[in-house]
Each structure stands twice: as C-alpha cells, then as structure tokens.
Amino acid sequence: MGFEFVLIIIGINILYVSFFTLRLLMVIKGYRVMASILAMVEVFVYLKGLAIVLDNLDNWVNLAAYCIGWGMGVFIGSKIEEYLALGYVTLQVVVDSVDLEVPVKLREHGFGVTSWVAEGRDGHRLMMQVLTKRTNEKKLWKLINEIAPKAFVISFEAKQLKGGFWVNRLR
C-alpha cells in the first residue's frame, strides 16, 4: 500500500467531491432530477472511499491524500459546472448617455433587451436589462465592452422565467 494507494484515495475524493459540488449547484439552480441522479452516484463513491480511508487511518499520508482530493474535487467540480454553464443570467447595463443605438446593436446579435431612460446623479442614463443563457454570457460581456466600454454592468442569475419572448423561445 504505497503511492498507488495514495493516488486511489485522491482520485476517489476528486470524484466524490466533484459530484457533491455539481449536485449542490444543480439543486440551487432547480435541476432536481439531475441532482437526485448525481446524489446516488455521489453516495456510492463516498461510501467506497470512506471505507478505504477508515480502514487505513493509521497512516497520516492517507489522511493528507484525502484532504488533497477533497480540495481538488471542489475545484474540479466548480470548473465542470462553469463549463456546463447551466441556466440564465440577466445583465443590467447602465450607459452614461442616452444612446439608443446600444440596444439595437445588442438585439442585432440576438439578445433580448428591455431599455428605458433613467435619472442618474449626473443626468439621464440609458438602462438596459438583457437576459441570456449562461453559455452566452462571455459573448454578451465582450459585445457590451465593444459597444459601450464605459457602461456599468451588473450580472444576476435568473432562476425562473415567465412571459416575454424568452418563454416562447424555450419551447
């Protein structure tokens, strides 16, 4: 039980904690069925890994491997979720002038935009709300940066959608 055993412990924990992280994020985002399926796999891997570690607690290297695997699992699980980019985001965009071309350009690229004129500390501002899939978020940020580089932008996660052209698009 040498180096290979340590790698097995690390590998099991990476797998377990990655599933744990993904399951937790799926529950938060409302993907209950997928989260339940992941939970079944997660608990199987966890019990197998825990049995191995509990049988070999006399070696501090095994405990260190367990901890290393746990940390790596959190990192890898979050990277997998980032890659999957599940769900939707809403970007609230504030442009320091009432440039009505900005929403038009965003719409030309396929983004749904709701815009209105608002009052800021230093005068009128153009406010926009843009909803997009998380897979398109980076593209939207880049486009906003090109069209209105001085815009103030806030990103929110959209959990539930009702009404508007998005609902028709999703069907």
Side-chain angles (χ1 to χ4, degrees):
M1 295 226 183
F3 185 67
E4 301 86 21
F5 190 69
V6 169
L7 289 178
I8 289 170
I9 293 172
I10 291 173
I12 286 173
N13 247 9
I14 288 172
L15 192 61
Y16 159 64
V17 179
S18 294
F19 280 127
F20 173 84
T21 304
L22 286 172
R23 178 186 51 84
L24 183 64
L25 292 168
M26 297 252 180
V27 168
I28 290 169
K29 292 177 185 291
Y31 295 92
R32 291 183 190 105
V33 174
M34 189 60 168
S36 298
I37 293 167
L38 279 174
M40 288 184 281
V41 175
E42 169 197 340
V43 76
F44 176 80
V45 172
Y46 171 73
L47 291 173
K48 285 301 202 182
L50 188 62
I52 292 171
V53 171
L54 290 178
D55 287 343
N56 297 283
L57 278 179
D58 55 332
N59 188 345
W60 70 269
V61 175
N62 295 344
L63 291 175
Y66 192 85
C67 296
I68 290 167
W70 188 282
M72 290 173 68
V74 169
F75 180 79
I76 291 170
S78 64
K79 291 305 260 182
I80 291 169
E81 194 283 329
E82 185 180 305
Y83 173 77
L84 293 174
L86 301 169
Y88 297 85
V89 292
T90 300
L91 270 65
Q92 185 173 17
V93 184
V94 183
V95 180
D96 61 358
S97 66
V98 184
D99 181 0
L100 299 178
E101 287 299 310
V102 176
V104 172
K105 290 178 182 174
L106 292 173
R107 288 182 188 117
E108 286 172 356
H109 284 86
F111 295 104
V113 181
T114 301
S115 62
W116 63 95
V117 176
E119 186 68 33
R121 186 188 73 180
D122 297 326
H124 288 49
R125 303 283 185 256
L126 178 64
M127 295 283 298
M128 292 173 287
Q129 194 159 328
V130 187
L131 178 71
T132 189
K133 290 182 178 182
R134 275 191 55 218
T135 53
N136 295 327
E137 184 178 12
K138 288 180 183 177
K139 176 183 168 189
L140 179 56
W141 276 92
K142 184 179 179 202
L143 185 60
I144 291 169
N145 229 11
E146 291 171 6
I147 297 170
K150 293 182 180 180
F152 175 71
V153 184
I154 303 172
S155 177
F156 302 97
E157 185 168 344
K159 187 171 178 184
Q160 295 180 332
L161 304 173
K162 178 186 180 293
F165 82 95
W166 267 100
V167 173
N168 295 331
R169 229 186 218 187
L170 294 175
R171 290 184 187 137

